[in-house]
Amino acid sequence: MKKKLLLTALVLVSSFSAFSQQKDVSIRIYPERGKQIISKHIYGHFAEHLGTCIYGGLWVGEDSKIPNTKGYRTDVLNALKKLQIPNLRWPGGCFADEYHWMDGIGPKENRPKMVNNNWGGVVEDNSFGTHEFLNLCELLECEPYISGNVGSGTVEELAKWVEYMTSDGDSPMANLRRKNGRDKAWKVKYLGVGNESWGCGGDMLPDYYADLYRRYAVYCRNFDGNKLFKIASGASDYDYNWTDVLMKKAGKKMHGLSLHYYTVTGWSGSKGSATEFTPDDYYWTMGKCLEIEEVIQKHMTIMDKYDKDKKVGLMVDEWGTWWDVEPGTNPGFLFQQNTMRDAFVAALSLNVFNKYGDRIQMANIAQVVNVLQSMILTKDDKMTLTPTYHVFDMYRVHQDATYLPMDIISETKGIRGRNVALVNASASQKDGLTHITLANIDLSAEQNVNIDFSNAKINSVKGRILTSKNIEDHNTFENPDLVKPQTFTGAKIENGKLNIKLPAKSIVVLEIK
């Protein structure tokens, strides 16, 4: 039987001059070395009570004039179903450590209101709570990831929440759930014990949080066959001491340790416009984005010191771009547009995550709707998909596939102290098919990419392309299809190898048999 190959590459293309320079790139893939599985949960998502992510984004209520399915926006629900999201993290974020779950259960008219002190000071009515979230996960057929309140909550509160969600016994919390309309317990695998406990989640020191985590982990129990995967609140980007202390003092008590990394210029002053930026700004963004690989490697080295068998997963459960909010919007809502620059951040980051499947078990882009680097934007009854959405859609081929090591020879570009390869790639294999994702970040030069598949036979090739004129282009409610996938024909089979004309500012999806 002839071996089939499926090559996938995403291409975000801008027009380029007929006189643009062409550069050669060589890639050799080693299928025989493939051992690590790329967890589908690397393609996870994050929904926080922040701005219009929940209210107006995911949830409008059953009485809304906006078409909905049991209160969930039908257009958003269908878009996320198509994306086949593997997991969804909720209710935060910083919001999680001020959220008291009992305020969000029972008849909606009886639920107490609360002020969202973290994000905009708005009053929320708690109409979207535990039932609404877990039922949404069932509709999406994704794993729920609950972020528990450690900052302002108690051990008892979180332990009872776990019981309420997962116990099928004759217990107080299970019976309360039944009273509220849900007889059968939900399956909840992922449980975060706090969020950013070094900052908005309590401003704790690592030694204190390590002891606190151990206490919480004892009382968050497994009920009726539901086995929790307990995730400790990990470090922010370069805080390697936090990881060292947590692994030393609590590493044997956890299943996962989180890591947060944002592609952001800094935490004070302007972060820059999401849609207006210079080529220098663009290349800096690519370098900052790719620096996550070095950060991951350093945290993994520390984890290896205490966990050589890699039993504890590294969960990059917040990542993505962070720009200034769109002019005229509430600064506490973090609503930003999403250009092809953001799509490159998504493509390059996912290519990095794919390489470390022996340690990275989950990643969650921030966030799913209307906040930061989102998949979807909504306004009243209008909806548009972002370029980042299309990247995630096309990268689905890597989920639960075997990662294939590769060698890449590509030119690099220096920018503000960072040296960045112009072509970035990832490869995987599943069910006899091979997938590759490629990205050319060069703003002016076409890349002539030659790929050697180690003697695997290639019979045919076809592809898709995500294309637009400028790197700043983005979809709007008035023009929702400016950036969308199209057919790609720039790949040929030559002497048993694949030759791809990868245009400037591009990412290509190819299918090879």
Side-chain angles (χ1 to χ4, degrees):
M1 180 181 294
K2 294 181 178 178
K3 186 175 183 180
K4 293 182 179 179
L5 298 175
L6 179 66
L7 167 63
T8 303
L10 252 173
V11 175
L12 306 171
V13 180
S14 279
S15 62
F16 54 92
S17 167
F19 302 102
S20 62
Q21 180 184 1
Q22 177 175 294
K23 300 179 181 179
D24 290 327
V25 177
S26 296
I27 297 177
R28 182 175 178 84
I29 300 171
Y30 301 96
E32 70 279 3
R33 299 183 187 176
K35 296 179 180 179
Q36 299 173 181
I37 300 298
I38 301 170
S39 172
K40 67 180 180 180
H41 292 293
I42 284 173
Y43 293 80
H45 297 271
F46 173 29
E48 183 170 4
H49 288 248
L50 198 173
T52 55
C53 180
I54 302 296
Y55 301 107
L58 292 170
W59 178 259
V60 292
E62 296 182 46
D63 296 330
S64 174
K65 294 181 180 179
I66 297 173
N68 66 87
T69 303
K70 298 180 179 179
Y72 309 104
R73 283 188 67 128
T74 301
D75 51 2
V76 172
L77 188 65
N78 290 337
L80 294 178
K81 284 182 178 179
K82 181 179 182 293
L83 208 57
Q84 296 179 345
I85 70 173
N87 66 70
L88 186 59
R89 182 173 179 244
W90 174 85
C94 293
F95 180 84
D97 283 284
E98 290 196 24
Y99 181 67
H100 299 284
W101 68 272
M102 281 195 171
D103 292 343
I105 61 173
K108 290 183 173 58
E109 62 272 17
N110 296 335
R111 298 181 187 181
K113 296 180 180 179
M114 68 171 292
V115 177
N116 190 334
N117 293 304
N118 286 287
W119 306 116
V122 296
V123 176
E124 299 199 23
D125 64 4
N126 276 312
S127 59
F128 190 96
T130 300
H131 289 248
E132 289 74 27
F133 172 67
L134 294 177
N135 290 342
L136 171 62
C137 290
E138 287 189 336
L139 287 172
L140 294 174
E141 298 182 354
C142 73
E143 292 273 8
Y145 174 7
I146 295 291
S147 185
N149 183 347
V150 172
S152 69
T154 65
V155 172
E156 179 185 12
E157 181 181 21
L158 187 53
K160 285 184 174 180
W161 198 9
V162 171
E163 180 186 335
Y164 184 91
M165 293 184 290
T166 64
S167 173
D168 258 331
D170 184 16
S171 70
M173 292 299 102
N175 288 331
L176 179 60
R177 183 192 68 240
R178 295 184 182 104
K179 180 181 177 181
N180 289 328
R182 173 77 182 200
D183 180 56
K184 184 175 177 57
W186 292 281
K187 291 296 182 183
V188 177
K189 179 178 180 180
Y190 297 105
L191 178 69
V193 181
N195 167 77
E196 295 189 356
S197 298
W198 38 264
C200 65
D203 197 19
M204 304 175 195
L205 297 175
D207 294 86
Y208 175 78
Y209 173 75
D211 288 338
L212 196 60
Y213 170 83
R214 292 171 65 102
R215 183 182 175 210
Y216 270 77
V218 169
Y219 294 100
C220 293
R221 306 182 188 279
N222 296 326
F223 291 95
D224 302 311
N226 186 83
K227 189 173 182 180
L228 294 173
F229 186 102
K230 300 170 188 177
I231 301 168
S233 176
S236 176
D237 42 45
Y238 311 102
D239 187 354
Y240 305 111
N241 179 63
W242 185 278
T243 297
D244 190 88
V245 172
L246 262 290
M247 288 301 299
K248 181 179 181 180
K249 298 193 69 173
K252 296 186 184 301
K253 304 294 182 180
M254 66 180 70
H255 300 107
L257 179 64
S258 70
L259 172 66
H260 292 177
Y261 184 95
Y262 284 97
T263 298
V264 61
T265 57
W267 298 110
S268 61
S270 173
K271 297 175 177 60
S273 169
T275 58
E276 298 177 6
F277 47 88
T278 66
D280 191 71
D281 293 332
Y282 163 78
Y283 284 118
W284 176 88
T285 301
M286 298 301 101
K288 171 65 173 176
C289 159
L290 287 170
E291 192 170 273
I292 194 173
E293 182 165 17
E294 179 183 344
V295 170
I296 286 170
Q297 289 172 339
K298 289 182 178 180
H299 284 287
M300 290 195 306
T301 297
I302 295 169
M303 295 176 76
D304 289 346
K305 182 169 64 172
Y306 300 102
D307 176 35
K308 64 179 181 180
D309 295 326
K310 301 182 186 296
K311 293 181 179 179
V312 179
L314 181 61
M315 326 297 276
V316 191
D317 59 17
E318 285 189 32
W319 67 274
T321 58
W322 195 317
W323 311 115
D324 289 343
V325 301
E326 289 302 293
T329 65
N330 188 323
F333 283 9
L334 305 188
F335 180 86
Q336 67 185 43
Q337 252 298 350
N338 192 305
T339 70
M340 292 199 300
R341 175 177 66 165
D342 299 279
F344 274 104
V345 170
L348 270 55
S349 298
L350 291 170
N351 282 345
V352 169
F353 299 156
N354 287 347
K355 294 171 64 175
Y356 300 101
D358 59 338
R359 182 64 84 176
I360 299 179
Q361 296 187 30
M362 179 185 285
N364 306 76
I365 190 168
Q367 295 183 11
V368 67
V369 186
N370 290 337
V371 175
L372 299 177
Q373 191 177 350
S374 58
M375 304 292 109
I376 299 168
L377 300 177
T378 67
K379 182 180 181 182
D380 299 325
D381 62 346
K382 297 178 181 179
M383 184 196 79
T384 185
L385 305 177
T386 68
T388 297
Y389 175 98
H390 295 304
V391 172
F392 268 75
D393 186 30
M394 293 190 226
Y395 267 62
R396 286 187 291 119
V397 295
H398 287 312
Q399 293 186 18
D400 285 341
T402 301
Y403 176 77
L404 303 183
M406 65 171 65
D407 292 329
I408 303 178
I409 300 176
S410 168
E411 290 192 23
T412 61
K413 182 178 181 64
I415 185 73
R416 299 185 198 171
R418 294 183 176 94
N419 203 34
V420 183
L422 295 175
V423 171
N424 188 279
S426 186
S428 69
Q429 191 170 67
K430 184 179 180 181
D431 299 330
L433 303 175
T434 298
H435 311 83
I436 300 178
T437 45
L438 295 162
N440 174 16
I441 69 171
D442 200 308
L443 289 176
S444 60
E446 177 184 81
Q447 307 287 336
N448 182 39
V449 182
N450 291 288
I451 302 179
D452 186 340
F453 292 97
S454 302
N455 300 317
K457 188 173 182 180
I458 303 172
N459 296 315
S460 64
V461 57
K462 62 180 181 179
R464 300 175 71 205
I465 192 171
L466 196 64
T467 182
S468 197
K469 184 178 180 180
N470 303 301
I471 194 68
E472 302 91 351
D473 283 347
H474 53 278
N475 294 328
T476 65
F477 301 115
E478 295 72 30
N479 189 3
D481 295 320
L482 179 63
V483 182
K484 65 178 182 179
Q486 300 174 2
T487 300
F488 177 72
T489 58
K492 295 181 180 179
I493 302 168
E494 298 178 350
N495 300 319
K497 299 180 181 180
L498 190 66
N499 177 262
I500 303 170
K501 300 299 183 183
L502 195 60
K505 341 182 238 311
S506 68
I507 309 173
V508 167
V509 174
L510 302 173
E511 177 180 304
I512 300 172
K513 295 182 179 179

Short mmCIF file of all heavy atoms in Angstrom, two decimals, residues 173-212:
data_model
loop_
_atom_site.label_atom_id
_atom_site.label_comp_id
_atom_site.label_asym_id
_atom_site.label_seq_id
_atom_site.Cartn_x
_atom_site.Cartn_y
_atom_site.Cartn_z
N MET A 173 -23.99 18.57 48.18
CA MET A 173 -23.79 19.38 46.98
C MET A 173 -24.40 18.72 45.74
O MET A 173 -24.93 19.41 44.87
CB MET A 173 -22.29 19.64 46.76
CG MET A 173 -21.67 20.54 47.83
SD MET A 173 -22.40 22.20 47.91
CE MET A 173 -23.46 22.04 49.35
N ALA A 174 -24.33 17.41 45.67
CA ALA A 174 -24.95 16.71 44.53
C ALA A 174 -26.46 16.90 44.56
O ALA A 174 -27.11 17.11 43.51
CB ALA A 174 -24.60 15.23 44.56
N ASN A 175 -27.04 16.86 45.73
CA ASN A 175 -28.49 17.06 45.84
C ASN A 175 -28.88 18.51 45.54
O ASN A 175 -29.96 18.77 45.00
CB ASN A 175 -28.97 16.66 47.24
CG ASN A 175 -28.93 15.14 47.42
OD1 ASN A 175 -29.08 14.39 46.46
ND2 ASN A 175 -28.72 14.70 48.65
N LEU A 176 -28.01 19.45 45.89
CA LEU A 176 -28.25 20.85 45.54
C LEU A 176 -28.23 21.03 44.02
O LEU A 176 -29.06 21.75 43.45
CB LEU A 176 -27.21 21.75 46.20
CG LEU A 176 -27.32 23.26 45.89
CD1 LEU A 176 -28.68 23.80 46.35
CD2 LEU A 176 -26.18 24.01 46.57
N ARG A 177 -27.30 20.35 43.37
CA ARG A 177 -27.24 20.39 41.89
C ARG A 177 -28.53 19.84 41.30
O ARG A 177 -29.10 20.41 40.35
CB ARG A 177 -26.04 19.59 41.39
CG ARG A 177 -25.87 19.63 39.87
CD ARG A 177 -24.88 18.61 39.37
NE ARG A 177 -25.37 17.25 39.55
CZ ARG A 177 -24.77 16.33 40.28
NH1 ARG A 177 -23.67 16.62 40.95
NH2 ARG A 177 -25.29 15.12 40.38
N ARG A 178 -29.01 18.73 41.85
CA ARG A 178 -30.25 18.13 41.35
C ARG A 178 -31.42 19.09 41.55
O ARG A 178 -32.28 19.24 40.67
CB ARG A 178 -30.51 16.80 42.07
CG ARG A 178 -29.46 15.73 41.76
CD ARG A 178 -29.79 14.39 42.41
NE ARG A 178 -28.73 13.42 42.11
CZ ARG A 178 -27.80 13.05 42.99
NH1 ARG A 178 -27.82 13.56 44.23
NH2 ARG A 178 -26.88 12.19 42.66
N LYS A 179 -31.45 19.77 42.68
CA LYS A 179 -32.50 20.74 42.95
C LYS A 179 -32.47 21.86 41.91
O LYS A 179 -33.52 22.42 41.55
CB LYS A 179 -32.31 21.32 44.35
CG LYS A 179 -33.35 22.36 44.74
CD LYS A 179 -33.08 22.90 46.13
CE LYS A 179 -34.08 23.99 46.50
NZ LYS A 179 -33.82 24.55 47.86
N ASN A 180 -31.29 22.16 41.41
CA ASN A 180 -31.13 23.23 40.41
C ASN A 180 -31.27 22.73 38.98
O ASN A 180 -30.96 23.47 38.03
CB ASN A 180 -29.78 23.92 40.61
CG ASN A 180 -29.74 24.76 41.87
OD1 ASN A 180 -30.75 25.31 42.29
ND2 ASN A 180 -28.56 24.85 42.48
N GLY A 181 -31.73 21.48 38.82
CA GLY A 181 -32.11 21.03 37.49
C GLY A 181 -31.17 20.09 36.78
O GLY A 181 -31.44 19.69 35.64
N ARG A 182 -30.06 19.71 37.40
CA ARG A 182 -29.11 18.81 36.75
C ARG A 182 -28.97 17.55 37.59
O ARG A 182 -28.37 17.58 38.67
CB ARG A 182 -27.75 19.49 36.57
CG ARG A 182 -26.63 18.59 36.06
CD ARG A 182 -26.72 18.32 34.58
NE ARG A 182 -25.64 17.40 34.16
CZ ARG A 182 -25.22 17.26 32.92
NH1 ARG A 182 -25.76 17.99 31.96
NH2 ARG A 182 -24.25 16.40 32.63
N ASP A 183 -29.52 16.45 37.11
CA ASP A 183 -29.47 15.20 37.87
C ASP A 183 -28.10 14.54 37.81
O ASP A 183 -27.50 14.25 38.83
CB ASP A 183 -30.54 14.23 37.35
CG ASP A 183 -30.52 12.91 38.12
OD1 ASP A 183 -30.66 12.95 39.36
OD2 ASP A 183 -30.34 11.86 37.48
N LYS A 184 -27.60 14.33 36.61
CA LYS A 184 -26.34 13.61 36.43
C LYS A 184 -25.16 14.56 36.56
O LYS A 184 -25.17 15.68 36.05
CB LYS A 184 -26.31 12.93 35.05
CG LYS A 184 -25.07 12.08 34.80
CD LYS A 184 -25.18 11.36 33.47
CE LYS A 184 -23.92 10.55 33.17
NZ LYS A 184 -23.62 9.58 34.22
N ALA A 185 -24.13 14.11 37.26
CA ALA A 185 -22.93 14.92 37.42
C ALA A 185 -22.24 15.14 36.08
O ALA A 185 -22.35 14.33 35.16
CB ALA A 185 -21.96 14.25 38.40
N TRP A 186 -21.53 16.26 35.98
CA TRP A 186 -20.70 16.51 34.82
C TRP A 186 -19.34 15.83 35.01
O TRP A 186 -18.94 15.52 36.12
CB TRP A 186 -20.45 18.01 34.65
CG TRP A 186 -21.64 18.81 34.28
CD1 TRP A 186 -22.22 18.95 33.06
CD2 TRP A 186 -22.41 19.67 35.15
NE1 TRP A 186 -23.29 19.82 33.10
CE2 TRP A 186 -23.43 20.26 34.38
CE3 TRP A 186 -22.33 19.97 36.52
CZ2 TRP A 186 -24.35 21.16 34.92
CZ3 TRP A 186 -23.25 20.85 37.06
CH2 TRP A 186 -24.25 21.44 36.27
N LYS A 187 -18.66 15.63 33.92
CA LYS A 187 -17.27 15.20 33.97
C LYS A 187 -16.39 16.44 33.87
O LYS A 187 -16.45 17.18 32.89
CB LYS A 187 -16.95 14.23 32.83
CG LYS A 187 -17.63 12.87 32.96
CD LYS A 187 -17.13 12.12 34.19
CE LYS A 187 -17.75 10.75 34.31
NZ LYS A 187 -17.31 10.04 35.54
N VAL A 188 -15.61 16.68 34.91
CA VAL A 188 -14.70 17.83 34.93
C VAL A 188 -13.30 17.30 35.23
O VAL A 188 -13.03 16.82 36.33
CB VAL A 188 -15.12 18.86 36.00
CG1 VAL A 188 -14.11 20.00 36.05
CG2 VAL A 188 -16.51 19.39 35.70
N LYS A 189 -12.44 17.39 34.24
CA LYS A 189 -11.09 16.86 34.41
C LYS A 189 -10.13 17.92 34.96
O LYS A 189 -9.44 17.71 35.96
CB LYS A 189 -10.56 16.33 33.07
CG LYS A 189 -9.14 15.79 33.15
CD LYS A 189 -8.69 15.22 31.81
CE LYS A 189 -7.26 14.67 31.89
NZ LYS A 189 -6.81 14.11 30.59
N TYR A 190 -10.08 19.08 34.32
CA TYR A 190 -9.04 20.06 34.63
C TYR A 190 -9.50 21.05 35.71
O TYR A 190 -10.54 21.69 35.58
CB TYR A 190 -8.64 20.82 33.36
CG TYR A 190 -8.03 19.92 32.32
CD1 TYR A 190 -8.76 19.55 31.19
CD2 TYR A 190 -6.74 19.43 32.46
CE1 TYR A 190 -8.20 18.71 30.22
CE2 TYR A 190 -6.17 18.59 31.51
CZ TYR A 190 -6.91 18.23 30.39
OH TYR A 190 -6.37 17.40 29.45
N LEU A 191 -8.69 21.14 36.76
CA LEU A 191 -8.99 22.06 37.86
C LEU A 191 -7.75 22.89 38.17
O LEU A 191 -6.71 22.37 38.59
CB LEU A 191 -9.39 21.28 39.12
CG LEU A 191 -9.68 22.15 40.35
CD1 LEU A 191 -10.96 22.96 40.15
CD2 LEU A 191 -9.78 21.29 41.61
N GLY A 192 -7.88 24.20 37.97
CA GLY A 192 -6.80 25.11 38.33
C GLY A 192 -6.96 25.57 39.76
O GLY A 192 -8.01 26.08 40.15
N VAL A 193 -5.93 25.40 40.56
CA VAL A 193 -5.96 25.81 41.97
C VAL A 193 -5.39 27.22 42.05
O VAL A 193 -4.22 27.44 42.32
CB VAL A 193 -5.18 24.82 42.86
CG1 VAL A 193 -5.25 25.24 44.32
CG2 VAL A 193 -5.73 23.40 42.68
N GLY A 194 -6.28 28.20 41.78
CA GLY A 194 -5.87 29.59 41.76
C GLY A 194 -5.36 30.02 40.39
O GLY A 194 -5.11 29.20 39.50
N ASN A 195 -5.20 31.30 40.21
CA ASN A 195 -4.71 31.90 38.97
C ASN A 195 -3.79 33.07 39.31
O ASN A 195 -4.15 33.92 40.13
CB ASN A 195 -5.87 32.41 38.12
CG ASN A 195 -5.39 33.31 36.99
OD1 ASN A 195 -4.89 32.84 35.99
ND2 ASN A 195 -5.53 34.63 37.16
N GLU A 196 -2.62 33.08 38.72
CA GLU A 196 -1.65 34.17 38.94
C GLU A 196 -1.58 34.54 40.42
O GLU A 196 -1.76 35.70 40.82
CB GLU A 196 -2.00 35.38 38.07
CG GLU A 196 -1.85 35.09 36.59
CD GLU A 196 -1.96 36.32 35.70
OE1 GLU A 196 -2.23 37.42 36.21
OE2 GLU A 196 -1.78 36.18 34.47
N SER A 197 -1.32 33.54 41.22
CA SER A 197 -1.29 33.74 42.68
C SER A 197 -0.17 34.67 43.12
O SER A 197 -0.19 35.18 44.23
CB SER A 197 -1.17 32.38 43.38
OG SER A 197 -2.29 31.58 43.09
N TRP A 198 0.78 34.92 42.23
CA TRP A 198 1.85 35.87 42.51
C TRP A 198 1.39 37.32 42.28
O TRP A 198 2.09 38.27 42.62
CB TRP A 198 3.05 35.60 41.60
CG TRP A 198 2.65 35.19 40.21
CD1 TRP A 198 2.53 33.93 39.72
CD2 TRP A 198 2.26 36.07 39.14
NE1 TRP A 198 2.09 33.95 38.42
CE2 TRP A 198 1.92 35.25 38.03
CE3 TRP A 198 2.17 37.44 38.99
CZ2 TRP A 198 1.50 35.77 36.79
CZ3 TRP A 198 1.74 37.97 37.77
CH2 TRP A 198 1.43 37.13 36.70
N GLY A 199 0.18 37.51 41.68
CA GLY A 199 -0.29 38.84 41.34
C GLY A 199 -1.74 39.04 41.73
O GLY A 199 -2.08 39.08 42.92
N CYS A 200 -2.62 39.16 40.72
CA CYS A 200 -4.03 39.46 40.99
C CYS A 200 -4.72 38.35 41.76
O CYS A 200 -5.78 38.57 42.36
CB CYS A 200 -4.78 39.72 39.69
SG CYS A 200 -4.90 38.30 38.57
N GLY A 201 -4.12 37.15 41.81
CA GLY A 201 -4.72 36.04 42.53
C GLY A 201 -4.32 35.95 43.98
O GLY A 201 -4.51 34.90 44.62
N GLY A 202 -3.75 37.03 44.54
CA GLY A 202 -3.44 37.02 45.97
C GLY A 202 -2.12 37.63 46.35
O GLY A 202 -1.81 37.77 47.54
N ASP A 203 -1.29 38.01 45.36
CA ASP A 203 0.00 38.65 45.64
C ASP A 203 0.83 37.84 46.63
O ASP A 203 1.39 38.36 47.59
CB ASP A 203 -0.23 40.07 46.17
CG ASP A 203 1.03 40.93 46.10
OD1 ASP A 203 1.95 40.58 45.33
OD2 ASP A 203 1.10 41.94 46.82
N MET A 204 0.90 36.53 46.37
CA MET A 204 1.57 35.62 47.29
C MET A 204 3.04 35.42 46.93
O MET A 204 3.46 35.66 45.79
CB MET A 204 0.87 34.25 47.27
CG MET A 204 -0.61 34.30 47.58
SD MET A 204 -1.40 32.67 47.40
CE MET A 204 -3.13 33.14 47.37
N LEU A 205 3.81 34.96 47.89
CA LEU A 205 5.17 34.52 47.66
C LEU A 205 5.15 33.03 47.31
O LEU A 205 4.22 32.30 47.73
CB LEU A 205 6.03 34.77 48.90
CG LEU A 205 6.18 36.25 49.30
CD1 LEU A 205 6.96 36.37 50.61
CD2 LEU A 205 6.84 37.06 48.19
N PRO A 206 6.12 32.55 46.57
CA PRO A 206 6.05 31.16 46.09
C PRO A 206 6.01 30.11 47.20
O PRO A 206 5.30 29.11 47.08
CB PRO A 206 7.30 31.01 45.22
CG PRO A 206 8.21 32.12 45.63
CD PRO A 206 7.31 33.24 46.04
N ASP A 207 6.75 30.32 48.29
CA ASP A 207 6.74 29.35 49.39
C ASP A 207 5.35 29.26 50.02
O ASP A 207 4.87 28.17 50.34
CB ASP A 207 7.77 29.73 50.45
CG ASP A 207 9.19 29.64 49.94
OD1 ASP A 207 9.68 30.63 49.35
OD2 ASP A 207 9.80 28.56 50.08
N TYR A 208 4.72 30.41 50.20
CA TYR A 208 3.39 30.42 50.79
C TYR A 208 2.39 29.73 49.88
O TYR A 208 1.59 28.90 50.33
CB TYR A 208 2.95 31.86 51.07
CG TYR A 208 1.53 31.96 51.59
CD1 TYR A 208 1.24 31.67 52.92
CD2 TYR A 208 0.48 32.33 50.74
CE1 TYR A 208 -0.07 31.75 53.40
CE2 TYR A 208 -0.82 32.40 51.21
CZ TYR A 208 -1.09 32.11 52.54
OH TYR A 208 -2.38 32.18 52.99
N TYR A 209 2.42 30.08 48.59
CA TYR A 209 1.46 29.46 47.67
C TYR A 209 1.69 27.95 47.57
O TYR A 209 0.74 27.17 47.48
CB TYR A 209 1.52 30.08 46.28
CG TYR A 209 0.65 29.30 45.32
CD1 TYR A 209 -0.74 29.41 45.36
CD2 TYR A 209 1.20 28.38 44.42
CE1 TYR A 209 -1.55 28.65 44.53
CE2 TYR A 209 0.41 27.61 43.59
CZ TYR A 209 -0.97 27.75 43.65
OH TYR A 209 -1.77 26.98 42.84
N ALA A 210 2.95 27.51 47.59
CA ALA A 210 3.23 26.07 47.49
C ALA A 210 2.56 25.32 48.64
O ALA A 210 1.95 24.26 48.43
CB ALA A 210 4.74 25.83 47.50
N ASP A 211 2.65 25.86 49.85
CA ASP A 211 1.99 25.22 51.00
C ASP A 211 0.48 25.28 50.85
O ASP A 211 -0.24 24.31 51.16
CB ASP A 211 2.40 25.92 52.30
CG ASP A 211 3.84 25.61 52.69
OD1 ASP A 211 4.36 24.57 52.23
OD2 ASP A 211 4.44 26.40 53.44
N LEU A 212 -0.03 26.41 50.38
CA LEU A 212 -1.47 26.57 50.19
C LEU A 212 -1.99 25.59 49.14
O LEU A 212 -3.05 24.97 49.31
CB LEU A 212 -1.78 28.01 49.80
CG LEU A 212 -3.23 28.48 49.93
CD1 LEU A 212 -3.69 28.38 51.38
CD2 LEU A 212 -3.35 29.92 49.43
#
